[in-house]
Amino acid sequence: MKKAADSIQTLLKEKLACYQQLNLVLKAEKKAIGTVDIGMIWETTRAKKDLIGKIEELRNNILVACQNHFPGMDKKTDTFSLGALVHALPLPNKNKIEIRQLKRTIDKEKEIVAHFIKSNRVQVKKHLSVVDNIMALIGNNPAQARYTGKGMVTQGKKNSCLFMAQV
């Protein structure tokens, strides 16, 4: 029993480390989005993909370890949920305490990841709309209303325009 708990704990600690690294990558991504550092954004994208792959691999390894140490456990859990897994582990409570603590810490890290993902998504939309407007201005899209230097709105004319009108 102790060996099984140690094996699962080791995998959970690795999973926690991956989530902590993912948080750091998302923080770097947020900074790169703010400074429009395309090279860094590509780097963070690759790092996120690698970490997500590791997390999925660890998820499978945890499930395999549980099934190896506790045959028939896969029948108790229809889908993989860390909470359901911890609850279904046929271990004494003293062995589950550390596993439960790791699960709570992983859940906190997941919440931070979700927050960064939402925040970064908003930042990307905001910065991309600015870039889109700049590109439309540079491209001289005649269908878009624009402001001239005199503050007048032009529609469909090729006057020298300073700003596009927001539709």
Side-chain angles (χ1 to χ4, degrees):
M1 291 284 192
K2 179 75 171 135
K3 184 179 176 183
D6 290 343
S7 171
I8 293 167
Q9 276 182 311
T10 301
L11 292 169
L12 288 174
K13 286 177 183 176
E14 288 179 42
K15 189 172 181 177
L16 175 61
C18 285
Y19 275 109
Q20 290 169 335
Q21 289 174 358
L22 186 57
N23 285 334
L24 294 175
V25 169
L26 289 167
K27 193 179 287 187
E29 181 184 57
K30 182 177 183 171
K31 184 177 178 182
I33 292 168
T35 59
V36 191
D37 183 350
I38 303 299
M40 183 60 143
I41 291 172
W42 282 114
E43 258 184 66
T44 59
T45 300
R46 280 190 291 276
K48 287 188 303 184
K49 285 182 181 180
D50 290 345
L51 287 168
I52 290 168
K54 286 180 186 177
I55 289 170
E56 288 175 357
E57 182 182 335
L58 285 166
R59 178 181 185 262
N60 291 332
N61 291 347
I62 291 168
L63 193 55
V64 168
C66 288
Q67 291 170 353
N68 288 342
H69 290 290
F70 310 107
M73 188 172 156
D74 56 337
K75 295 172 187 167
K76 294 180 184 176
T77 55
D78 296 335
T79 59
F80 183 88
S81 157
L82 198 49
L85 176 93
V86 171
H87 181 71
L89 282 174
L91 292 170
N93 268 343
K94 65 179 182 177
N95 291 345
K96 281 189 182 183
I97 291 172
E98 289 182 43
I99 293 174
R100 283 189 180 119
Q101 182 58 39
L102 277 169
K103 182 228 176 276
R104 283 191 289 271
T105 307
I106 288 171
D107 287 345
K108 288 177 187 174
E109 291 295 323
K110 284 181 180 181
E111 288 175 15
I112 295 169
V113 165
H115 170 74
F116 271 120
I117 289 171
K118 287 177 188 175
S119 173
N120 288 357
R121 189 175 295 145
V122 168
Q123 289 293 330
V124 165
K125 285 180 183 179
K126 184 173 96 173
H127 289 288
L128 284 181
S129 69
V130 170
V131 171
D132 188 39
N133 288 338
I134 290 170
M135 294 308 288
L137 182 62
I138 291 170
N140 200 17
N141 181 359
Q144 180 108 22
R146 302 165 191 250
Y147 291 102
T148 66
K150 297 178 185 176
M152 299 169 47
V153 176
T154 63
Q155 186 76 24
K157 297 179 184 175
K158 289 195 174 188
N159 293 350
S160 179
C161 301
L162 297 177
F163 302 102
M164 293 189 328
Q166 292 296 319
V167 189

